[in-house]
Amino acid sequence: MRKTLLFVVFFITVCCMIYSCQNAGEIEQAKYMTGGKDLYTANCQNCHGANGEGLGELAPPLTDTTFLKENKVKLACIIKNGSSEGVVINGKSYQGKMPAFSKLHDIDVAQLVVYITNSFSNKQGMYTYEQVAKDLENCK
Amino acid sequence: MFVSNSIIMIKFKNISSITALAFLVISFTACTNEKKLPIYGQREAKIVKGADGTERVDTVYQTIPAFRFLNQDSTYITQYMFKGKIYVADFFFTSCTTICPTMHRNLKTVYEQYKGNPDILFLSHTIDFKYDKPSVLKKYAQKLGVDGPKWQFVYGSKDEVYNLAEKSYLTVVKEDSTATDGYIHQGWLVLIDKEKRMRGAYDGTKTEEVEKLKKDIVTLLAEEKK
């Protein structure tokens, strides 16, 4: 009897630990989301729109989930260094130039990527600033 | 006025004085209901002779002077294009990454609203005299999705455009190598009436001001119809 009781208590404790761990991750992501939203409003919204709708053919929308998913490792480079490559999204070509936001720190870039890839019908989860540093090393 | 009325009310305390006050209040609110947009810029008094030879004082308002610019189709347009029209003017440049996209995103909503109304035009002047040649403006208009005669994008020399901006449209524009994209400018959307007078200026980066512009266009259209 005592054994089972102890086991139940132990089991509940482990469950609680795992649950709180998950919560910590969620809290971390929520922090990134709030920071990312402010950064987005200040730096990106004028061209890409409050709802990621883009602006005509001048600025591409951020609502296309496939592009953001396939190019997730490139996003940090595009934000930090800008891009003049042009993109094709949903069969539509966007040849405008994206300016470089070289003043943003890795943590800012991480928050922006988390915000963009978890808003406008995207749901790609967490992206840390350590990952930003790694991805930036592979910029072309 | 109101003070004397209330004194009357205290003195007589009868129904007729209350009715009189009510009438007064109603007539005051009726005055403010007939809305008219202010006329901006400098003005001077001028003595003019009427047809019957009598002299009277007339107010002369500041107006947009004659101009001649190349548009996105590489043809010259002048003030004649805007004769008898209401138009919204602004100053921007195509490589601007700060306030211009927001300004034009907002102005485009006004454009969409009045697409079918030939009495309203749009005029965007570029302040980037080095790069924004007509072909660049054409591409910009197409990409923004407003390519047509209703929204004119014009190119002119630095002196012409900068003078017009500061003296006539009261908008600050300046070359500045320390600014983000090389220029400093204000994001005013300037409302011009059929007599070429400035009737309003709205911050094109703020949606609530652009909503006011939409309301004021309605007021101005009603005013001009009389």
Side-chain angles (χ1 to χ4, degrees), chain B residues 61-97:
Chain B
Y61 295 98
Q62 184 176 327
T63 56
I64 305 299
F67 58 84
R68 185 168 177 263
F69 292 124
L70 268 177
N71 75 354
Q72 71 265 43
D73 295 312
S74 287
T75 44
Y76 278 107
I77 62 155
T78 64
Q79 69 279 9
Y80 289 113
M81 186 166 200
F82 301 90
K83 206 175 172 188
K85 311 266 187 196
I86 289 171
Y87 69 96
V88 181
D90 74 338
F91 294 83
F92 85 113
F93 57 106
T94 62
S95 54
C96 161
T97 56

Side-chain angles (χ1 to χ4, degrees), chain B:
Chain B
M1 192 74 78
F2 284 104
V3 177
S4 61
N5 260 301
S6 46
I7 290 168
I8 293 167
M9 241 169 70
I10 295 160
K11 264 188 184 170
F12 295 101
K13 275 191 181 170
N14 58 15
I15 291 178
S16 65
S17 65
I18 293 168
T19 349
L21 183 69
F23 262 112
L24 215 67
V25 170
I26 288 165
S27 59
F28 267 113
T29 47
C31 281
T32 50
N33 265 352
E34 201 178 292
K35 257 179 51 187
K36 233 180 164 192
L37 300 182
I39 299 169
Y40 291 98
Q42 296 186 343
R43 60 187 67 181
E44 50 184 286
K46 200 176 154 195
I47 295 164
V48 288
K49 264 192 182 167
D52 53 350
T54 52
E55 285 186 347
R56 62 190 178 84
V57 178
D58 201 4
T59 318
V60 181
Y61 295 98
Q62 184 176 327
T63 56
I64 305 299
F67 58 84
R68 185 168 177 263
F69 292 124
L70 268 177
N71 75 354
Q72 71 265 43
D73 295 312
S74 287
T75 44
Y76 278 107
I77 62 155
T78 64
Q79 69 279 9
Y80 289 113
M81 186 166 200
F82 301 90
K83 206 175 172 188
K85 311 266 187 196
I86 289 171
Y87 69 96
V88 181
D90 74 338
F91 294 83
F92 85 113
F93 57 106
T94 62
S95 54
C96 161
T97 56
T98 51
I99 61 171
C100 312
T102 315
M103 279 165 68
H104 280 174
R105 178 195 305 279
N106 289 333
L107 190 54
K108 198 180 162 187
T109 65
V110 187
Y111 168 88
E112 297 288 345
Q113 196 176 333
Y114 288 100
K115 230 176 179 174
N117 190 335
D119 285 339
I120 295 170
L121 295 177
F122 298 86
L123 176 61
S124 289
H125 308 75
T126 177
I127 57 166
D128 187 353
F129 50 93
K130 291 175 194 153
Y131 177 72
D132 280 350
K133 303 285 149 77
S135 61
V136 179
L137 293 175
K138 179 82 176 171
K139 257 190 207 149
Y140 179 87
Q142 283 171 337
K143 284 183 176 177
L144 188 62
V146 296
D147 189 32
K150 192 174 187 67
W151 192 335
Q152 294 286 322
F153 292 86
V154 294
Y155 167 85
S157 74
K158 183 183 175 184
D159 282 352
E160 278 176 295
V161 175
Y162 285 37
N163 261 326
L164 193 68
E166 281 181 35
K167 293 195 179 122
S168 304
Y169 291 105
L170 313 178
T171 304
V172 173
V173 295
K174 218 168 148 189
E175 234 188 315
D176 185 343
S177 53
T178 60
T180 310
D181 299 307
Y183 298 92
I184 293 177
H185 70 300
Q186 291 180 317
W188 297 120
L189 303 173
V190 184
L191 182 61
I192 306 293
D193 70 8
K194 291 182 179 175
E195 278 84 51
K196 295 187 282 184
R197 298 173 303 191
M198 185 173 159
R199 303 302 292 274
Y202 313 84
D203 186 339
T205 61
K206 297 195 175 108
T207 41
E208 64 273 16
E209 292 225 4
V210 177
E211 286 309 310
K212 185 160 189 302
L213 166 64
K214 287 177 186 167
K215 270 188 202 154
D216 283 0
I217 287 177
V218 175
T219 312
L220 189 57
L221 278 171
E223 184 189 307
E224 305 260 8
K225 255 181 197 156
K226 279 174 197 165

